């Protein structure tokens, strides 16, 4: 029988083996440089290990401004993205054609948008799921495919509108669209695919500063702020068909479906808990207010100059050109820069949000911080929407203003479908528990949905009459 080694001998052998292993590791470190870990990989590791979420845990339970800053973002970003080329064009036309007479609409759109965004935020916080994910779970694959098909069509049209807005803005300075669109499209595509999440976020925040340009443009126009204040609280309505259509356009461009999809997905992604629900509701309402405040300044700028001088325009780019002889070159440049920045920002967010929502609906991998090979469907949808939007704008002789108007109509037609889904989901007691809608919220929501449906019927009626050769002005 062989002699077994002693315990002391085994320990000595283990110690020698450990020293040899450590020595080999040290020699290997001296010979081989450390692996090059890029920013995307570091971000992905932190997300997988939950480090970013743990940073937010430090602020949970706090009160006041610090607690709000911990959850702030989804509602405000949704509001920023809502002021896109279509919105700016619509608000500029409103100010130039009607002056300040329709300014009272914006307190109403603040309330309607706040109701809708609050519902999206509450659904995201309570369920921890995005809207497309909930539609699939609650209503099945067929309804999900239907909703996603409508959203894809509307968002492609909107992406076309954003490139149209960017090219129209720089054409003021003599830069042709055949230069602007390819350069902007490639820059956006490269930013999302190759830059880190932190870089993309910083670019978004930097571009969002361009909206201050509209505040400056309004101030440079020297309006009578007393009249502006009275116009906000004094309703007046002209029943001319063209004015009614303008009202439809204003409401439709202010409350868009993709904003709600983005908002709810962002809330769920940020893992905001029920104890932070009120803070996120404040973020959502704040985004609704921000969107409409910028719209008010755009209307004030154009109403105080173009309307007073009797100048007519057909687009936001025309409004920027027309401001120059009235309010000075600086006002023209500010308005054009604001249009370009807003268009580029929305042209970036629109394809990203489309890819996120569709991948979420069907359970496909998604994420800006991932490699193309890890999320091919996500980046494929993103590239498709971005590229198609750019190519369509480059078609010679294309009516850019018509494209922008059509995109807003598509968004308006999709909105009631999305709002009905949201209303059914937010009233599901099994899903929402004590956070389901109460009678007052339901009444307000039904009024908002009903108003949007009536406005859509007006749009369809006008389109039908137009097809029959009957013009309503």
């Amino acid at each position: 029988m062989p002699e077994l080694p002693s315990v002391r001998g085994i320990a000595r052998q283990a110690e020698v083996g450990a020293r040899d292993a450590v020595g080999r590791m040290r020699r290997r470190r001296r010979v081989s440089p450390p692996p090059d870990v890029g920013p995307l990989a570091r971000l992905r590791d932190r997300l997988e290990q939950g480090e970013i979420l743990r940073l937010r845990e430090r602020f949970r339970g706090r009160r006041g401004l610090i607690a709000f800053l911990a959850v702030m973002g989804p509602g405000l970003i949704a509001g920023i993205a809502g002021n896109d080329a279509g919105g700016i064009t619509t608000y500029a036309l409103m100010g130039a054609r009607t002056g300040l007479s329709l300014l009272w609409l914006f307190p109403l759109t603040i309330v309607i948008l706040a109701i809708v965004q609050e519902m999206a935020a509450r659904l995201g916080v309570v369920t921890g799921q995005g809207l497309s994910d909930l539609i699939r779970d609650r209503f099945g694959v067929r309804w999900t495919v239907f909703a996603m098909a409508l959203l894809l069509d509307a968002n492609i049209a909107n992406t076309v509108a954003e490139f149209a807005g960017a090219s129209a803005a720089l054409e003021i300075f003599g830069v042709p669209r055949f230069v602007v669109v390819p350069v902007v499209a490639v820059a956006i595509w490269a930013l999302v695919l190759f830059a880190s999440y932190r870089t993309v976020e910083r670019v978004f925040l930097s571009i969002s500063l361009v909206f201050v340009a509209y505040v400056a443009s309004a101030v440079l126009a020297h309006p009578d702020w007393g009249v502006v204040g009275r116009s906000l609280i004094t309703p007046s309505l002209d029943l001319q068909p063209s004015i009614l259509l303008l009202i439809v356009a204003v409401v439709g461009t202010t409350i868009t479906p993709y904003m709600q999809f983005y908002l709810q997905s962002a809330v769920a992604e940020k893992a905001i808990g029920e104890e932070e629900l009120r803070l996120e509701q404040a973020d959502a309402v704040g985004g609704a207010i921000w969107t409409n405040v910028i719209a008010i300044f755009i209307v004030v700028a154009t109403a105080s100059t173009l309307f007073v001088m009797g100048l007519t325009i057909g687009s936001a780019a025309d409004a920027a050109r027309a401001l120059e002889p009235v309010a000075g070159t600086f006002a023209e440049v500010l308005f054009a820069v604001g249009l370009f920045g807003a268009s580029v920002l929305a042209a970036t967010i629109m394809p990203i949000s489309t890819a996120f929502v569709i991948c979420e609906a069907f359970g496909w991998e998604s994420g800006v911080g991932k490699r193309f090979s890890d999320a091919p469907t996500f980046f494929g949808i993103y590239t498709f929407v971005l590229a198609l939007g750019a190519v369509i704008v480059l078609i010679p002789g294309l009516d850019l203003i018509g494209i922008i108007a059509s995109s807003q109509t598509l968004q308006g037609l999709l909105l009631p479908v999305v709002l009905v889904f949201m209303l059914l989901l937010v009233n599901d007691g099994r899903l929402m528990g004590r956070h389901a809608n109460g009678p007052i919220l339901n009444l307000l929501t039904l009024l908002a949905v009903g108003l949007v449906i009536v406005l859509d019927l007006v749009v369809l009626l006008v389109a039908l009459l137009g097809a029959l050769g009957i013009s309503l002005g």
Side-chain angles (χ1 to χ4, degrees), residues 353-379:
S353 64
T354 306
F356 264 121
V357 167
I358 294 177
C359 289
E360 178 185 71
F362 300 107
W364 297 324
E365 195 70 29
S366 63
V368 174
K370 297 183 182 297
R371 293 188 297 267
F372 196 102
S373 57
D374 294 332
T377 305
F378 172 79
F379 287 110

Side-chain angles (χ1 to χ4, degrees), residues 43 57 62 72 122 150 152 208 223 239 346 375-376 415 432:
L43 177 61
E57 292 294 335
R62 300 285 185 90
M72 183 186 71
R122 185 153 36 101
L150 289 178
L152 179 62
S208 68
L239 297 179
L415 184 58
M432 299 296 293

Side-chain angles (χ1 to χ4, degrees), residues 19-32:
R19 287 176 179 174
D20 291 342
V22 171
R24 286 194 299 271
M25 291 177 63
R26 287 176 176 172
R27 287 192 296 272
R28 189 180 299 117
R29 286 177 180 172
R30 285 195 297 267
V31 174
S32 303

Side-chain angles (χ1 to χ4, degrees), residues 170-438:
L170 290 194
E171 281 178 354
I172 294 174
F173 306 109
V175 185
R177 81 170 76 168
F178 299 102
V179 174
V180 175
V181 173
V183 170
V184 170
V186 171
I188 289 173
W189 185 82
L191 173 69
V192 173
L193 260 73
F194 300 116
S196 68
Y197 178 82
R198 181 176 297 178
T199 301
V200 174
E201 184 180 58
R202 286 175 179 172
V203 171
F204 282 176
L205 291 175
S206 299
I207 294 176
S208 68
L209 295 176
V210 301
F211 291 107
V212 179
Y214 293 115
V215 179
S217 295
V219 172
L220 290 172
H222 303 293
D224 185 334
W225 293 107
V227 175
V228 171
R230 288 192 294 272
S231 299
L232 284 169
I233 59 175
T234 307
S236 62
L237 182 60
D238 189 336
L239 297 179
Q240 291 183 29
S242 59
I243 302 300
L244 294 177
L245 288 177
L246 187 57
I247 292 174
V248 172
V250 168
V251 175
T253 196
T254 305
I255 310 166
T256 55
Y258 85 90
M259 292 167 61
Q260 316 319 317
F261 278 103
Y262 167 79
L263 172 56
Q264 187 169 331
S265 295
V267 168
E269 183 73 18
K270 204 169 182 179
I272 297 173
E274 288 190 31
E275 71 280 2
E276 300 169 303
L277 175 59
R278 291 191 179 277
L279 296 172
E280 181 48 45
Q281 288 171 325
D283 176 50
V285 173
I289 295 173
W290 168 253
T291 300
N292 285 273
V293 166
I294 296 300
I296 289 170
F297 278 110
I298 294 172
V299 173
V300 169
T302 53
S304 302
T305 52
L306 311 184
F307 177 76
V308 171
M309 300 296 293
L311 299 176
T312 58
I313 62 170
S315 69
D318 290 342
R321 293 188 188 95
L323 280 174
E324 193 272 333
V326 182
T329 303
F330 192 47
E332 175 195 21
V333 171
L334 284 175
F335 207 91
V337 168
L339 175 61
F340 178 77
S343 299
V344 171
L345 177 64
T348 309
I349 293 178
M350 192 80 63
I352 289 177
S353 64
T354 306
F356 264 121
V357 167
I358 294 177
C359 289
E360 178 185 71
F362 300 107
W364 297 324
E365 195 70 29
S366 63
V368 174
K370 297 183 182 297
R371 293 188 297 267
F372 196 102
S373 57
D374 294 332
T377 305
F378 172 79
F379 287 110
I381 295 172
Y382 164 74
T383 303
F384 169 75
V385 174
L386 184 70
L388 184 59
V391 168
I392 291 176
V393 172
L394 292 176
I395 297 175
L398 187 69
D399 180 11
L400 298 183
I401 303 306
I403 288 290
I404 293 175
S406 299
S407 71
Q408 302 312 298
T409 301
L410 278 174
Q411 288 283 0
L413 294 176
L414 174 60
L415 184 58
V417 178
V418 175
L419 293 182
V420 169
F421 278 132
M422 292 177 66
L423 187 59
L424 293 173
L425 289 168
V426 84
N427 277 285
D428 189 335
R430 295 172 299 177
L431 188 68
M432 299 296 293
R434 61 189 178 90
H435 297 294
N437 264 14

